[in-house]
Amino acid sequence: MTDKKSPLHDEHVALGANLTEFGGWLMPLRYTSDLAEHRAVREAAGLFDLSHMGGITVTGPDAGAFLDHALVGRLSAVGVMRARYTMICAEDGGVLDDLIVYHNAPGEYFVVANAANADTVLVALLERAAGFDVVVRDVSSGGALIAVQGPRAEEILRDVLTEDEEISGGTTLDELRYYACLGMRFGEHAVLVARTGYTGEDGFEVWVDLPDAVPLWRAFLAAGEPRGLVPAGLSARDSLRLEAGMPLYGHELDTTTTPFEAGLGRVVKLDKVSDDGAPLEFVGRDALAARRDSAPARVLVGLRGAGRRPARAGYAVVQPGADGAPGPQLGTVTSGAPSPTLGAPIAMAYVTPEVSAEGTELAVDVRGRAEPFTVVALPFYRRS
């Protein structure tokens, strides 16, 4: 039963949002139409409530070394006010969750987990903290996370937030790169702004203390409305991330999947070393090294449809058969939808390596009919 509501819940109700359960939270699915919200993000800007995401702080003298041990990346190498996409894996190499980790200050890191996996990640980090001088703390309920995404996101942000050298972390908004963050002010209060997102567009994610969550949401709406910004829900967020070829936990990633199968082997740093130059052991290292060196049983690919009927998660990828009938199964769709930007059905799927080359003609069993799809490169969409 859903019992968690965002600090912005009443704002969503007032805007007429269609609410849905997601990761144990009641969150906006859409406000008007999926298509309108998707297009607003591609053409102007969208405003998202991401307060359902898990937030975990890791602090202490051993914080960097601990995260090197607990996660697959080398987080100790991430500069202050920078961020990194990474994963937490089980001993067998299966993905427990994909994460973004921010290095906010020396000895201080902020781990953002998916809503449905927040408890799993917290428990795993607490278990792995033994022997390290660190404090791992769940801070998910301590604030709100609001995202402004789209080509006009920066000018909207500048209207609402103010730069301040005292809290900036040594950079300016003009200098802020992708996967970097800085402190800014909303009125008299500090907020953390990161140039990150899950839409394939330029944009920002802003952490704000609870008392300022509603005023900040309303300020973004007011500044953005003349520029085409609209509030956007989970449905648009999903179609945007699919066009951008970004994985979603529970679809492209799960405990039966390693980063290598998902085409994300680059995030696994098997060459991590300790301060004395010795190979650094981290949870899942041996299993991941073995998976890297073995032939994959399946490969994640992009599929673009020739017709109009979309493939959906769980549909079978098949060999095209005679008279439109599905042939032998070659894989499974993990995510699929019509693409508003491309005007064609798109999907991500795991298929056997033999049929994973770009240009391979395949089909998807859509309710008993083999709909034609072609293997294409990911992502489907890149902003210009």
Side-chain angles (χ1 to χ4, degrees), residues 182-382:
L182 81 162
M184 298 186 73
R185 291 202 182 276
F186 174 58
E188 297 300 316
H189 300 145
V191 298
L192 181 66
V193 178
R195 198 163 213 148
T196 49
Y198 197 51
T199 64
E201 296 295 340
D202 187 23
F204 305 87
E205 296 177 326
V206 183
W207 285 266
V208 57
D209 290 338
L210 285 178
D212 287 326
V214 169
L216 180 60
W217 174 268
R218 292 177 178 176
F220 278 137
L221 283 177
E225 184 178 10
R227 298 177 168 94
L229 174 142
V230 302
L234 291 169
S235 186
R237 191 165 181 251
D238 190 51
S239 58
L240 290 159
R241 71 92 193 169
L242 176 57
E243 288 186 345
M246 295 177 170
L248 176 64
Y249 196 90
H251 290 252
E252 289 70 43
L253 300 171
D254 56 32
T255 56
T256 69
T257 305
T258 71
F260 294 102
E261 292 166 317
L264 295 167
R266 65 185 181 277
V267 308
V268 180
K269 304 303 180 184
L270 294 170
D271 58 351
K272 286 191 281 190
V273 295
S274 60
D275 291 340
D276 60 6
L280 181 65
E281 293 298 323
F282 61 91
V283 179
R285 186 190 187 285
D286 291 345
L288 290 168
R291 190 63 63 94
R292 179 197 62 178
D293 296 334
S294 62
R298 57 181 185 154
V299 179
L300 186 67
V301 300
L303 299 174
R304 178 166 178 162
R308 299 193 64 82
R309 300 179 75 192
R312 300 294 186 184
Y315 286 11
V317 180
V318 298
Q319 190 73 42
D323 301 322
Q329 185 168 354
L330 303 170
T332 303
V333 173
T334 55
S335 299
S339 167
T341 304
L342 304 180
I346 58 173
M348 289 193 282
Y350 281 107
V351 300
T352 58
E354 296 77 15
V355 296
S356 63
E358 289 180 39
T360 303
E361 301 292 334
L362 298 173
V364 174
D365 184 348
V366 180
R367 299 179 182 177
R369 181 173 178 82
E371 292 291 332
F373 279 78
T374 302
V375 177
V376 297
L378 290 171
F380 303 99
Y381 166 85
R382 292 184 188 271

Side-chain angles (χ1 to χ4, degrees), residues 5-83:
K5 293 181 180 178
S6 162
L8 300 168
H9 176 79
D10 290 344
E11 299 299 299
H12 305 318
V13 172
L15 289 167
N18 181 352
L19 300 171
T20 188
E21 189 278 334
F22 184 78
W25 291 71
L26 193 61
M27 298 299 294
L29 181 64
R30 66 180 64 84
Y31 298 85
T32 54
S33 79
D34 301 343
L35 182 59
E37 292 168 22
H38 181 108
R39 285 181 172 167
V41 176
R42 290 280 180 254
E43 298 169 4
L47 184 66
F48 297 85
D49 178 12
L50 307 182
S51 302
H52 59 296
M53 302 291 282
I56 301 166
T57 58
V58 177
T59 58
D62 294 343
F66 161 66
L67 290 171
D68 285 348
H69 164 73
L71 310 180
V72 301
R74 189 176 182 190
L75 283 305
S76 63
V78 177
V80 174
M81 301 304 281
R82 296 285 294 171

Side-chain angles (χ1 to χ4, degrees), residues 11-184:
E11 299 299 299
H12 305 318
V13 172
L15 289 167
N18 181 352
L19 300 171
T20 188
E21 189 278 334
F22 184 78
W25 291 71
L26 193 61
M27 298 299 294
L29 181 64
R30 66 180 64 84
Y31 298 85
T32 54
S33 79
D34 301 343
L35 182 59
E37 292 168 22
H38 181 108
R39 285 181 172 167
V41 176
R42 290 280 180 254
E43 298 169 4
L47 184 66
F48 297 85
D49 178 12
L50 307 182
S51 302
H52 59 296
M53 302 291 282
I56 301 166
T57 58
V58 177
T59 58
D62 294 343
F66 161 66
L67 290 171
D68 285 348
H69 164 73
L71 310 180
V72 301
R74 189 176 182 190
L75 283 305
S76 63
V78 177
V80 174
M81 301 304 281
R82 296 285 294 171
R84 182 159 297 172
Y85 175 78
T86 187
M87 296 181 188
I88 183 167
C89 288
E91 286 284 6
D92 65 0
V95 179
L96 297 177
D97 200 15
D98 60 334
L99 312 165
I100 297 181
V101 179
Y102 297 86
H103 189 182
N104 294 345
E108 297 181 12
Y109 294 79
F110 184 55
V111 179
V112 179
N114 286 294
N117 296 333
D119 289 343
T120 298
V121 173
L122 178 64
V123 169
L125 290 177
L126 288 169
E127 290 174 347
R128 298 175 189 189
F132 291 92
D133 187 2
V134 295
V135 175
V136 177
R137 182 180 292 113
D138 180 9
V139 295
S140 302
S141 61
L145 176 57
I146 300 171
V148 184
Q149 300 282 304
R152 305 197 72 175
E154 183 174 335
E155 60 184 279
I156 294 167
L157 191 86
R158 289 184 181 278
D159 259 12
V160 175
L161 302 180
T162 305
E163 295 189 64
D164 187 323
E165 290 184 5
E166 290 185 8
I167 62 170
S168 69
T171 190
T172 67
L173 190 55
D174 282 338
E175 299 166 335
L176 191 67
R177 295 178 290 166
Y178 190 47
Y179 267 70
C181 49
L182 81 162
M184 298 186 73

